[in-house]
């Protein structure tokens, strides 16, 4: 599998999965179940997962696949794999707030190198091209035809007047205390992996996450941010956030434009 082969496939699958998700989102009612970890799952999560998994397995049968909705995949071990969150921001979806995303990423040697983040309700789509540069695609977002592409890049931040993005559903005192260490011009909230993309486009400078996440929540956004010149580091020691960890659980982390002077935890 080459990057040239991968990108058209993950772009197309994310758009097809987004269409399936929106069909359910716009219906009068949809089923919500509770998983063993008490997190919600909807028929949209399951339908999108089935579509993406089938597409990836057909295209790249020899590549390890980890996906949130298939618990059996969570015991797979490797440092190079495809990783999927078919619907990140399920709570946003259930409350019809629109801030949910489809996420597909390639991790190579523990680093997310290529990925796509698609927010179907917002009509925003970000991905890495084969050469690693991140772009935002606009236009019709048609699975078979690539629309206009704009390269994206992180902002050059002013450390006395930072734009900070934080979680909509998981904001807490620890997050606010940490943000309070910075000179902040303005704050915005966003759901799901869109927060990484806002840093990638220069719409925000800093996204600290003091809370539980899994690798499928972050890999695609991490890849997009990296392809725009940004970084994702551990909260405790500011070393790079790596992937393929035991159980695919993340420590707390900070996503940022490189010009941000990071404060200690």
């Amino acid at each position: 599998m080459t990057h040239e082969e991968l990108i058209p496939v993950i772009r197309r699958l994310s758009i097809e999965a987004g269409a399936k998700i929106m069909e359910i989102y716009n219906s009068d009612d949809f089923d919500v179940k509770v998983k063993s970890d008490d997190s919600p799952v909807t028929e949209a999560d399951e339908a999108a997962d089935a579509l993406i998994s089938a597409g990836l397995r057909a295209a790249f049968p020899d590549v390890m696949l980890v996906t949130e909705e298939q618990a059996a995949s969570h015991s797979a071990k490797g440092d190079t794999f495809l990783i999927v969150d078919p619907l990140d921001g399920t709570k946003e979806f259930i409350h019809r707030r629109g801030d949910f995303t489809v996420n597909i990423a390639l991790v190579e040697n523990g680093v997310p190198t290529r990925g796509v983040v698609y927010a179907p309700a917002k009509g925003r789509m970000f991905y890495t091209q084969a050469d690693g540069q991140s772009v935002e695609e606009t236009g019709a977002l048609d699975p078979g035809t690539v629309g206009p592409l704009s390269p994206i890049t992180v902002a050059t931040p002013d450390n006395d007047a930072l734009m900070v993005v934080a979680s909509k559903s998981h904001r807490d005192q620890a997050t606010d205390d940490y943000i309070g260490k910075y000179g902040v011009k303005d704050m915005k909230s966003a759901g799901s992996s869109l927060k990484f993309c806002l840093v990638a486009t220069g719409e925000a400078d800093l996204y600290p996450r003091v809370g539980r996440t899994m690798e499928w929540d972050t890999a695609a956004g991490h890849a997009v941010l990296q392809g725009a010149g940004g970084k994702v580091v551990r909260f405790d020691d500011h070393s790079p956030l790596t992937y393929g960890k035991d159980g695919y659980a993340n420590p707390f982390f900070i996503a940022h434009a490189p010009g941000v002077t990071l404060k200690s935890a």
Side-chain angles (χ1 to χ4, degrees), residues 2-205:
T2 65
H3 294 148
E4 286 76 14
E5 292 166 335
L6 174 71
I7 301 309
V9 173
I10 63 174
R11 177 195 168 276
R12 174 179 58 79
L13 289 173
S14 70
I15 294 173
E16 290 174 351
K20 178 70 73 177
I21 288 167
M22 291 308 293
E23 199 179 292
I24 297 167
Y25 185 71
N26 291 323
S27 66
D28 291 338
D29 199 16
F30 47 77
D31 288 336
V32 180
K33 294 182 282 198
V34 177
K35 293 195 283 195
S36 58
D37 64 357
D38 286 340
S39 64
V41 61
T42 71
E43 57 195 284
D45 296 76
E46 293 170 344
D49 184 67
L51 188 156
I52 293 167
S53 300
L56 291 175
R57 289 195 171 110
F60 311 115
D62 300 330
V63 181
M64 182 176 132
L65 175 62
V66 179
T67 162
E68 177 179 15
E69 302 310 334
Q70 295 174 37
S73 72
H74 304 171
S75 56
K77 295 272 190 225
D79 61 4
T80 296
F81 50 91
L82 290 161
I83 186 162
V84 175
D85 189 344
L87 202 172
D88 182 32
T90 301
K91 287 177 184 165
E92 305 294 322
F93 177 90
I94 291 166
H95 296 120
R96 290 191 160 96
R97 286 198 291 246
D99 268 20
F100 49 84
T101 53
V102 178
N103 299 269
I104 309 171
L106 171 67
V107 171
E108 297 179 281
N109 299 316
V111 178
T113 58
R114 300 293 182 277
V116 58
V117 174
Y118 176 39
K122 293 194 167 294
R124 294 195 80 177
M125 178 156 184
F126 309 89
Y127 56 93
T128 51
Q129 294 187 291
D131 65 2
Q133 167 68 49
S134 291
V135 294
E136 180 169 6
E137 181 178 335
T138 54
L141 302 179
D142 177 84
T145 311
V146 178
L149 300 176
S150 306
I152 57 176
T153 186
V154 294
T156 302
D158 174 352
N159 279 287
D160 295 321
L162 295 174
M163 289 293 300
V164 179
V165 64
S167 175
K168 253 187 187 157
S169 308
H170 303 281
R171 186 78 175 274
D172 60 10
Q173 192 59 50
T175 305
D176 287 342
D177 290 347
Y178 183 70
I179 291 168
K181 297 182 177 192
Y182 291 87
V184 177
K185 178 173 79 174
D186 204 1
M187 296 271 306
K188 51 178 75 175
S189 64
S192 69
S193 54
L194 279 171
K195 293 182 284 291
F196 291 98
C197 301
L198 294 178
V199 180
T201 59
E203 293 168 70
D205 303 308

